[in-house]
Amino acid sequence: MNYKITLKDIYKARKCISPYVRKTPLAASHQLSKITGSAVTLKLENLQETGAFKLRGATNRLLNLSEERLSRGVITVSSGNHGRAVSHIAHQLGVRAVVCISEFVPSNKIRAIRDIGGEVEIAGKTYDETLAHAVSLQEDQGLTMIESFDDPFVISGQGTIGVELLEELPEIDTVIVPLSGGSLFSGIAVALKSADPGIRMVGVSMARGPAMVKSLQAGRVVDIEEEPTLADGLVGGIGKDNQYTFDLVRNTIDEAVLVSEEEISGAMAFALREHQLVVEGAGAVGMAALLADKVGSLGEHVSVIISGGNVEIPVLLDQPLDSWGEPFGIETP
């Protein structure tokens, strides 16, 4: 890694993106606090204008491009939320945006990208196949690639969440973060561990195809088989030529947790029932880890990053009502 991301970079990102990105609420979860014995709060990135944290990094990356590069347009590879974020900020700046996605991206995320003016290219069944198509288009049309996670400006943009956490909850000692490509996790980790290296960083992935976790276990970037999962926003590899996020995550993570599809499903239902929150599978993995008692050590002040809420309503409601909360000892209606 030839570039060190610092707290200064994150503060620069904060100043840059503040006119375009919401400071999201930090809400207490009395039910999770009761279950865990810790004071648990939820950082509600599902309430961003585009429904996910990705708007932070995408905005910081585009606003740090030259006028000449912006004039030629941008292109990205996405599982949905990043593509929507890039399309959103590109639309505000009057910039052409092409979003390449795999065949497994849900239709609601495709529709949202198109609605905001993004040009959708569906190509390939895996991240690597889709990336190859995007690189070909980039070269043919002179577009600028906007990385979805492995980019210093993207990482710094996501790290602004960590600054907000410290300002609202300076006593924070544990943070639980959805973990995939690693920009969200590493950005928050840089911010928090710059303030206190003792803050515990817990990364949570789905058990089906957890690319970053498998790579951490192997000590190197590894290929994984992508599988259908409720946490579609976490699907995909971390890039064979990963320059930033793998090392950043490896150097800052204190614990990695995997959750099952049933646990993710239960957490999505829990969020809707107990907090009246629409949370997609990728955004619910942190709650799933707490509800299933899978986090090894919790401090007194725990924050869970709810990374997104872009889920198709039929998927969200496809849970037996009488089972909502039952695995976690919560009475149901």
Side-chain angles (χ1 to χ4, degrees), residues 73-267:
V74 298
I75 188 169
T76 194
V77 179
S78 173
S79 57
N81 288 337
H82 175 68
R84 182 174 179 178
V86 169
S87 298
H88 176 84
I89 187 62
H91 177 73
Q92 291 199 21
L93 299 176
V95 173
R96 179 190 178 203
V98 179
V99 181
C100 297
I101 61 175
S102 78
E103 298 172 7
F104 295 113
V105 173
S107 60
N108 68 306
K109 294 187 176 182
I110 297 173
R111 185 169 57 251
I113 293 168
R114 285 178 170 151
D115 285 348
I116 201 65
E119 302 174 25
V120 176
E121 290 271 342
I122 302 174
K125 296 183 178 180
T126 67
Y127 175 85
D128 288 338
E129 290 177 2
T130 308
L131 176 61
H133 179 72
V135 170
S136 177
L137 285 178
Q138 176 194 9
E139 294 171 349
D140 289 345
Q141 301 182 25
L143 303 169
T144 295
M145 180 67 72
I146 306 298
E147 299 287 348
S148 60
F149 56 88
D150 197 34
D151 178 279
F153 290 99
V154 172
I155 296 166
S156 298
Q158 323 302 28
T160 59
I161 295 171
V163 172
E164 291 178 15
L165 286 174
L166 283 170
E167 289 178 344
E168 292 199 51
L169 190 66
E171 60 269 40
I172 192 169
D173 53 33
T174 308
V175 185
I176 302 175
V177 186
L179 178 61
S180 179
S183 67
L184 177 64
F185 186 95
S186 55
I188 293 174
V190 168
L192 296 182
K193 286 185 177 286
S194 294
D196 180 0
I199 294 176
R200 296 194 76 245
M201 293 294 304
V202 180
V204 186
S205 297
M206 68 288 182
R208 292 184 176 178
M212 181 63 81
V213 173
K214 293 293 185 183
S215 296
L216 292 172
Q217 291 171 345
R220 58 182 175 83
V221 176
V222 299
D223 292 328
I224 51 94
E225 181 179 350
E226 295 180 16
E227 303 178 52
T229 172
L230 282 170
D232 56 86
L234 302 181
V235 169
I238 65 172
K240 296 177 182 177
D241 300 318
N242 188 290
Q243 299 181 65
Y244 306 102
T245 58
F246 176 66
D247 283 339
L248 280 167
V249 172
R250 179 167 56 176
N251 292 333
T252 57
I253 194 167
D254 294 293
E255 184 178 358
V257 175
L258 298 179
V259 290
S260 70
E261 294 301 298
E262 292 75 18
E263 288 160 349
I264 296 169
S265 172

